């Protein structure tokens, strides 16, 4: 299909990824304590304030992570990737915290593949921590 017949998108950014969580307060605590994310939004809405929009993010990130109660099913099952200039240091930091569902430290055994490890939040959402060298 030729691009000549289609108009270009007005979308310019992936701003918010969303995870379903069983308990927004517990998820907020885990993301701000374990991953050291900051709260970007924590707002009640709906006719009686019965809904809550909660966003967290790494400090300085333009992308945010919304932590929402499940709409139709069980929480968990989503995944995101976060970036670090030093994956070994981040793995060591998380290991020192203890109690984090964390895969073993990565090695350089797969040529061409990014250096990364996976962890899971308490609801079973997957987080890939990927090494991206600092530009400079």
């Amino acid at each position: 299909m030729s691009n000549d017949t289609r108009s270009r998108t007005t979308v310019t950014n992936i701003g918010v990824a969303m995870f379903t969580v069983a308990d927004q307060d517990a998820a907020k605590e885990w993301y701000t304590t374990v991953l050291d994310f900051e709260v970007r939004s924590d707002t009640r809405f709906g006719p009686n304030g019965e809904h809550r929009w909660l966003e967290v993010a790494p400090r300085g990130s333009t992308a945010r992570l919304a932590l929402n109660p499940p709409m139709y099913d069980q929480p968990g099952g989503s995944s995101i990737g976060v970036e670090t200039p030093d994956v070994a240091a981040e793995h060591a930091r998380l290991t020192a915290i203890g109690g984090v569902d964390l895969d073993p430290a990565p090695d350089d055994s797969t040529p061409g593949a990014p250096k990364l490890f996976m962890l899971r939040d308490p609801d079973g959402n997957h987080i890939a921590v990927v090494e991206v060298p600092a530009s400079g």
Side-chain angles (χ1 to χ4, degrees):
M1 173 182 254
S2 169
N3 284 340
D4 296 341
T5 60
R6 298 186 330 192
S7 62
R8 294 218 179 251
T9 184
T10 60
V11 175
T12 60
N13 187 44
I14 296 175
V16 180
M18 297 178 200
F19 275 1
T20 56
V21 298
D23 179 325
Q24 286 178 298
D25 288 324
K28 178 181 174 180
E29 177 70 17
W30 191 85
Y31 279 90
T32 58
T33 302
V34 173
L35 292 185
D36 194 31
F37 284 12
E38 63 185 3
V39 174
R40 293 286 180 84
S41 178
D42 192 349
T43 307
R44 294 271 177 195
F45 65 97
N48 300 305
E50 67 271 21
H51 303 293
R52 181 180 181 190
W53 185 257
L54 174 60
E55 291 179 351
V56 295
R59 296 168 203 290
S61 174
T62 58
R64 288 114 38 227
L65 178 61
L67 304 171
N68 303 316
M71 292 177 69
Y72 306 108
D73 207 347
Q74 297 296 315
S78 296
S79 63
I80 61 169
V82 297
E83 299 174 336
T84 178
D86 189 344
V87 76
E90 185 60 17
H91 192 277
R93 186 188 75 79
L94 291 167
T95 299
I97 290 172
V100 179
D101 184 5
L102 186 63
D103 286 354
D107 58 30
D108 295 319
S109 65
T110 309
K115 196 172 192 178
L116 64 89
F117 66 90
M118 299 290 292
L119 67 125
R120 279 130 321 262
D121 76 7
D123 289 295
N125 293 298
H126 299 262
I127 302 159
V129 180
V130 182
E131 185 166 286
V132 177
S135 59

